[in-house]
Amino acid sequence: MLAFVIIAGVIGAPVVGMLKSSGGFAPGSSDSQVATNLLARATGTEASPGIVLLVRTPHGARSQASVTRVAIVRQRLAHVPGVARSVGPAAVSTDGRDVLVTGTLDANAADANVATATLAAFKGSHDVVVGGSAVAGEQIGSTVGKDLGLAELLAFPLLLILSLIFFRGRATLMPLVTGITTVLGTFLVLRGVNSFYGLSTYALNLVIGMGLGLAVDYTLFLVTRYRQELAAGASEPQALRATMSKAGSTVCFSAVTVACALATLTLFPEGFLKSMGVAGAVVAIVAALAALTISPALLTIWGAKVAKGRAARVGGASGAWYRLAQRVMRRPGIVAAVTAVLMLAAAAPALSVHWSSANDSRVIPKSQSSRTVADVVAQQFPGAGTQPLTVAIAAPRSSASAVAAVARRVGALPGITGASAPTYLGARTWRIQAQLSGDQTGSRAQRDVGLIRDIDAPFPIHVTGQAAEFVDQQAAIASHLPLVLGLLALLTFAVLWLMTDSVVLPIKAIAMNLLTVGAALTSVVVIFQHGNLTGLLGYTPDGGVETSSFVVAAALVFALSTDYGVFLLGRIKEQRDAGVGDREAVASGLGATGRVVSAAAILLAVAIGAFSTSEISFIQQIGVTVVAGVLIDAFIVRALLVPSLMGLLGRFNWWSPQWLHRLHARIAPAEARSTASAGPMLSATV
């Protein structure tokens, strides 16, 4: 394992600097991308300037010194490799003291390379601030790299302290060793994936948070079970075999459920969501493999020494969690109803969500030069900088009059403040540039994009720009969401059915997961959409929630809710298989796992909570949502809703049709078959 970690570190760690730092939020086949490709093919350049230089002119933009300086800046920008055309002055500020110089990139140029070369070309030029979309993408990518270092710096000491509290003794080292192995192992796998499919750099945040969190969780469950077996009188070999056959099997089910839930994100066409799905599925599997390899090895070496310094708690008919379950099941109907109503009330604000775009300049950290340029352009250069809306028309030169009619209709739309005359670019391509008033992600902007695309013309009309990309992102997510939700429910049902041989428990788990997701998503609406905690989190509110991060956060919360449900159901099922009554099995299961699930939730919240230290607001949104979700699930759903509903249903929790019992007996893993013998009797009773 040590050899593997070294190899993974050497080969896998460099992936941090290899992933895409820009794009990924609009589908590659969308109308906006078609327009961009059409314009690039006709001109050999990108559709809009990717470099925007803010030139400070203290003596006024029209002074001779300023004119000369702007000309020098423009020429220097023109010589940057990858810049096809530079324009300066492209615009003058309203106070006449600042000038914009823009650079349009070659269509085949790598934005990151051009951005890096531009920053180097103007390094030390105190009167020039470098910005634009290409530079913003590069600076966001570098920020993600710094955020990873900060997250590790914060998470590791906290996890070490909490591990000392929850693990005690030499076992404290096990989750950290497993976490490091998981992260580096995932980096190694992702480097291989990136060689044939370009992943987004944002996936690295998920690897750090999930890798550390799941590694700690899985190790905690294995160590706790080993200690419980030793405390029950088992020898060291017997305790290890029982731990791996019971808790180890549950870890496998847990990893599969998490991987399946996150893998559904790959069905979306956006590169950002695909990357998050791939990274999430990989890190869940690698975390399980690391825990199931490292834990038995170290437990074999250390043996009973792992249990020293701490009284192992076997659970069952003792402890606060057992007593809580018993009290809940005395009034299961009331507890279930009240808890469900509270969860629904907590989830209701999520229905008022307003979507925002990841391409909004307010996403860029304030410390970056591209953010400075974007803010000054918005305040001092109304309508300047890059064109917010570009119409690409595929028509021959002979269609000039029809194209001009389209331009007039575009200019007459209520949300358009100005539209240029059509420009023939060659290669049967025309371009019309327009300005949108107001919010680029608002309803008016979306309506205008739709109206332009719906103009009746004898040739195709395509639209690109921030507003158009946002419309395409929304449409792509909405069109794929039913398939993703259906597959997510199906996979979750299948894994839980394989584990429990019940159709009731998977359905109930899915319903409770949805409640948890809704309540957790409320936190991101309340904080980010309404602009709360800006001082603490250090973000700039844009009045909305970024759509893709919302989807990722929902998938993560759903996956982790299922994860904790698997551990609880596994222990309840084990008690029931041993002949314990239904209510007693629930109470004993919660008594045995309540403390460890709570500890795991806290540890995972710390690991993923490191997301909230990011300077990228939509990464913060994922962290805040997941922290809220795991804590709600561990301390409300698992403590109140699960035992109350299971107490209400009793033995009907385990009902399944006879044909499914027979199928389960054939295909389920050996560890999951023990309830099958009770199935026919229960089916006959029903």
Side-chain angles (χ1 to χ4, degrees), residues 258-431:
V258 173
C260 288
L262 294 176
T264 58
L265 293 175
T266 62
L267 297 178
F268 289 106
E270 293 90 334
F272 173 80
L273 293 176
K274 285 183 179 292
S275 298
M276 288 296 198
V278 170
V282 170
V283 77
I285 299 301
V286 173
L289 291 174
L292 294 173
T293 304
I294 293 173
S295 296
L298 292 180
L299 292 175
T300 300
I301 294 171
W302 290 336
K305 295 177 183 178
V306 173
K308 287 185 177 180
R310 171 182 179 165
R313 302 191 179 187
V314 181
S318 63
W321 287 96
Y322 175 84
R323 293 191 297 271
L324 174 62
Q326 291 283 29
R327 286 195 294 269
V328 166
M329 288 188 290
R330 291 192 192 113
R331 302 285 189 277
I334 296 175
V335 174
V338 171
T339 306
V341 168
L342 290 176
M343 292 286 290
L344 288 171
L351 299 176
S352 64
V353 64
H354 173 74
W355 305 118
S356 63
S357 172
N359 294 324
D360 193 299
S361 63
R362 287 169 287 190
V363 169
I364 308 169
K366 291 182 179 179
S367 59
Q368 301 296 340
S369 63
S370 55
R371 173 63 183 273
T372 301
V373 172
D375 289 345
V376 173
V377 168
Q379 296 167 8
Q380 297 292 331
F381 296 85
T386 58
Q387 291 290 336
L389 202 65
T390 303
V391 182
I393 298 176
R397 183 189 291 271
S398 58
S399 301
S401 58
V403 174
V406 171
R408 289 192 295 272
R409 294 186 63 180
V410 170
L413 293 174
I416 302 295
T417 59
S420 68
T423 301
Y424 185 68
L425 305 176
R428 297 175 58 86
T429 304
W430 294 79
R431 179 178 62 202

Side-chain angles (χ1 to χ4, degrees), residues 156-176 216 220 223-224 227 306-313 595-596 598-600 602-603 606:
F156 265 91
L158 288 174
L159 287 175
L160 180 59
I161 294 171
L162 291 173
S163 295
L164 281 169
I165 296 173
F166 295 128
F167 285 84
R168 304 287 178 88
R170 63 184 66 195
T172 301
L173 298 176
M174 292 177 61
L176 299 181
V216 171
L220 179 59
V223 170
T224 300
R227 285 170 165 167
V306 173
K308 287 185 177 180
R310 171 182 179 165
R313 302 191 179 187
R595 190 172 187 274
V596 68
S598 302
I602 293 171
L603 290 164
V606 169

Side-chain angles (χ1 to χ4, degrees), residues 490-556:
L490 180 62
L491 291 174
T492 302
F493 180 92
V495 174
L496 292 180
W497 169 75
L498 280 172
M499 178 183 175
T500 64
D501 190 21
S502 166
V503 298
V504 176
L505 290 174
I507 293 173
K508 189 169 60 177
I510 291 171
M512 288 187 292
N513 288 356
L514 292 177
L515 282 177
T516 304
V517 169
L521 293 178
T522 290
S523 63
V524 77
V525 172
V526 170
I527 294 174
F528 291 93
Q529 182 169 310
H530 298 296
N532 295 310
L533 302 181
T534 55
L536 177 63
L537 297 176
Y539 71 97
T540 302
D542 57 8
V545 176
E546 202 284 313
T547 315
S548 297
S549 65
F550 195 85
V551 172
V552 171
L556 279 170

Side-chain angles (χ1 to χ4, degrees), residues 2 54 64 231 278 335 383 412 445 462 478 503 545 583 586 632:
L2 177 60
L54 177 66
Q64 185 58 45
V278 170
V335 174
H462 308 284
V503 298
V545 176
R583 289 201 173 190
V586 173
I632 289 171

Side-chain angles (χ1 to χ4, degrees), residues 116-177:
T116 301
T118 304
L119 289 167
F122 291 97
K123 184 178 182 180
S125 298
H126 301 294
D127 60 340
V128 178
V129 186
V130 182
S133 59
V135 177
E138 174 62 18
Q139 290 181 335
I140 287 176
S142 65
T143 300
V144 169
K146 290 188 295 184
D147 289 345
L148 290 174
L150 178 60
E152 293 172 355
L153 187 64
L154 292 175
F156 265 91
L158 288 174
L159 287 175
L160 180 59
I161 294 171
L162 291 173
S163 295
L164 281 169
I165 296 173
F166 295 128
F167 285 84
R168 304 287 178 88
R170 63 184 66 195
T172 301
L173 298 176
M174 292 177 61
L176 299 181
V177 171

